[in-house]
Amino acid sequence: MLPSKRGADDLTSSSTDSLLIPGFWSELSDEVASKLSRSVVSISLCHGENVLFAFSGIAIECQSNFTKFVTSATLVRALNIEVCHEGYGAIGTVVEYDLDHVIAVIKVTSALDVYCVPLSYAEEVMPGRKVVAVGRDISGKLMATSGTLTASDRSEDCGHLMFSTCKLSEVMQGGALFEFDGNFVGMNLFSNMERPIFLQRDIIFDRLNHLQTSMEKIIFPVMVKSIRHRKRLTGVEPSSNPEEQFGDEYPTGVWGEFMEEISSNISDVVVALASFHGESKFFACTGFFIDYGGRPIILTSASLFRDPDGANEIVSGLRIKVLLPNNARTVGKLEHYSLHYNIALVSVKKYKVHCPVKLESKLIHYDKMVVAVGRCFQSGLLWAASGKYIRNRKVKSNLDCRYLWYTTCKTTKAVIGGPLVDSDGTFMGINYYDTEIGTPFLFFFKFRKILDNLKTK
């Protein structure tokens, strides 16, 4: 049974702490055994009094007024998170996460007696090394299993992908992997595999350095105020979030390649959307108004609602906010979606659209310039990047869609759900995002039938 839920500063003690570990533990020195035991906690996702999931977490930072842990990003959807360590329980919150690398940072506003694993670049770990996987179950009891490191036996896998032979239970996901001398190796993932994958220490260190820290969140408003002050003195417009920027801001750069009427029409139909779980932003992307059976509706990406764990389902209970072309913000409603083709239709009330995009068959000139367009939810700025079609149809993609094509447009995730247009302003498709090949998109003439099918659902 979990400790009683109280405020993050109000810890409760339990006398049930013990070890659920086999005999190999005696091979460890007392110092190493203490490090391993104190480095891991139990982290559970709760809805009211019901425990939905329980994993492990690894201590990475401890100050006088808070402690931080890294764990699996499955918890980013949590309503309540409980952290349990050696009989003490506290309420935690997700402060940072990276869905691409399946990691999240949990913070409790108390200083726990934990061993914080060193996060820095380390010597490469080699296959064959003997390791210990540690975690805690939902009652706070320590669990451990031993094994060896193994590399991928498939040449197409990326070089840093490594496995262990440790037999993990589900609650050990998010727990730590150590060598027998106490060297921290990484974080265990995906317990339901014959050879569990682990995220190497170097990758965790690299990704956490890229996540926005609490101090940066405090400094950011001060920086904005300073930039706005400089703007008043110099007339220089402050830029938006660098992670959202790509290509040229409207109406500069590539926008000048269009006739003024065309660029204005594009600006008038492109919106930004964000979904929220409570007050926390879940996902943000672009969308644009199309003519859907005689009425305007926003076509966007189903990533706005998709379960981040890869399941073929949406996350329920999300609120949608839409930033309109006139910079007004309004509520959106999900009308239809297709997770297979990663598209969704969102409606808004009382907004007049003069020229919604008509999904008509057009002649495709594969040698023409194309432009990927996106609008940033935070700033409202409209961006565009030009490129060419990639004609090689044999490129591989993680997106399960045989109608997917690519362009050479250099974009960011802000382009997801935005339109792809040619140099004449003709709308050619909807954009997605990929860092490997180029900007993927779905041709309009391919999914008109998809939208027709959505009308019947």
Side-chain angles (χ1 to χ4, degrees), residues 214-231:
S214 299
M215 182 58 68
E216 287 170 336
K217 293 174 183 176
I218 295 172
I219 292 174
F220 181 73
V222 179
M223 294 173 61
V224 170
K225 184 176 180 180
S226 175
I227 292 172
R228 286 175 175 168
H229 178 67
R230 291 201 305 271
K231 173 183 176 291

Side-chain angles (χ1 to χ4, degrees), residues 101-103 185-189 197-201 203-204:
H101 291 78
V102 206
I103 60 175
V185 176
M187 181 174 73
N188 295 306
L189 299 173
I197 295 175
F198 68 91
L199 196 61
Q200 293 187 49
R201 166 178 167 173
I203 302 174
I204 298 174

Side-chain angles (χ1 to χ4, degrees), residues 20-211:
L20 295 178
I21 53 178
F24 72 83
W25 195 260
S26 61
E27 299 179 37
L28 307 176
S29 69
D30 291 343
E31 180 182 2
V32 169
S34 175
K35 284 183 178 180
L36 271 59
S37 174
R38 294 171 57 228
S39 67
V40 290
V41 296
S42 170
I43 297 180
S44 55
L45 185 160
C46 304
H47 188 285
E49 295 300 320
N50 298 319
V51 177
L52 304 180
F53 301 102
F55 299 111
S56 296
I58 307 168
I60 58 172
E61 184 180 359
C62 185
Q63 300 294 338
S64 60
N65 60 343
F66 71 85
T67 310
K68 285 186 177 181
F69 306 88
V70 65
T71 187
S72 167
T74 301
L75 293 169
V76 299
R77 295 176 295 146
L79 299 178
N80 294 302
I81 298 173
E82 286 210 7
V83 177
C84 183
H85 174 70
E86 295 186 344
Y88 292 96
I91 301 299
T93 56
V94 177
V95 292
E96 300 160 342
Y97 61 89
D98 181 343
L99 295 180
D100 292 334
H101 291 78
V102 206
I103 60 175
V105 176
I106 309 297
K107 179 180 178 180
V108 298
T109 55
S110 298
L112 302 185
D113 182 20
V114 294
Y115 167 71
C116 296
V117 298
L119 288 179
S120 59
Y121 293 117
E123 295 183 4
E124 182 180 4
V125 290
M126 302 301 294
R129 299 294 294 269
K130 196 172 181 180
V131 289
V132 180
V134 289
R136 287 189 182 273
D137 72 4
I138 196 169
S139 67
K141 294 180 179 179
L142 184 67
M143 306 180 72
T145 181
S146 64
T148 57
L149 301 181
T150 63
S152 172
D153 53 8
R154 300 189 304 171
S155 59
E156 65 268 27
D157 284 336
C158 52
H160 61 249
L161 187 60
M162 290 194 69
F163 305 82
S164 78
T165 61
C166 299
K167 301 298 183 183
L168 305 179
S169 62
E170 184 179 14
V171 295
M172 296 180 73
Q173 180 174 318
L177 191 68
F178 289 90
E179 292 185 286
F180 265 54
D181 62 1
N183 177 47
F184 174 62
V185 176
M187 181 174 73
N188 295 306
L189 299 173
F190 310 126
S191 59
N192 58 341
M193 299 178 65
E194 182 178 350
R195 295 187 304 163
I197 295 175
F198 68 91
L199 196 61
Q200 293 187 49
R201 166 178 167 173
D202 287 3
I203 302 174
I204 298 174
F205 177 66
D206 180 68
R207 297 319 306 164
L208 293 183
N209 279 338
H210 282 77
L211 294 177

Side-chain angles (χ1 to χ4, degrees), residues 365-387:
H365 298 281
Y366 292 104
D367 57 341
K368 269 191 174 183
M369 176 189 76
V370 288
V371 178
V373 181
R375 189 182 292 276
C376 302
F377 183 81
Q378 179 177 334
S379 65
L381 297 178
L382 192 64
W383 300 88
S386 61

